[in-house]
Amino acid sequence: MVGTIRAATVVALIAVGCFFLTVGTIGLLRFPNVYNRMHATSKPTTLGTATIFLGGFVYFGPGAEGLTSLVGIVFLFLTVPTGAHMIARSAERVGVPFLGSVTWPRAEESSDEAESTRADD
């Protein structure tokens, strides 16, 4: 009975992971610019891959292989947001425009707001 539940859980986790990976791939193909594509690939892909790693943990258990799956999840959550941020900043510095009226916050405005907040304190 436990083996059947474990197998069903592993299959469900892998299916959910594949769904999110597919959604991320469709977003990569359909979105118009680097910022939208970066968001479409980083969020669902992280969730999908983490879910597949979690399926590996359920399958292998808390031993060495299962621990490797948990370390993979931690690695994903640390590196993917950092990489997405670096891609967005690089695209901005190269001059890739946003769509519509979206803009980056200006450094001068941010420092002026910080100084006025400090002056109020």
Side-chain angles (χ1 to χ4, degrees):
M1 182 69 172
V2 174
T4 306
I5 294 172
R6 178 188 253 175
T9 304
V10 169
V11 168
L13 287 169
I14 290 175
V16 168
C18 288
F19 169 76
F20 280 110
L21 289 171
T22 303
V23 167
T25 303
I26 291 169
L28 175 67
L29 298 174
R30 299 287 300 163
F31 281 142
N33 65 2
V34 67
Y35 305 108
N36 292 336
R37 289 177 181 169
M38 175 210 40
H39 181 76
T41 55
S42 66
K43 307 301 181 205
T45 305
T46 301
L47 186 58
T49 307
T51 307
I52 290 173
F53 273 141
L54 193 58
F57 176 75
V58 170
Y59 180 78
F60 291 115
E65 295 87 3
L67 182 61
T68 302
S69 294
L70 292 180
V71 169
I73 292 171
V74 171
F75 183 75
L76 276 172
F77 280 109
L78 292 176
T79 58
V80 172
T82 304
H85 177 76
M86 290 170 56
I87 291 169
R89 294 299 290 180
S90 297
E92 186 266 335
R93 288 185 179 164
V94 169
V96 176
F98 283 110
L99 295 176
S101 63
V102 178
T103 60
W104 282 98
R106 300 234 180 255
E108 301 86 38
E109 293 172 4
S110 298
S111 63
D112 291 341
E113 290 173 7
E115 287 176 11
S116 66
T117 305
R118 287 186 207 130
D120 293 339
D121 290 338

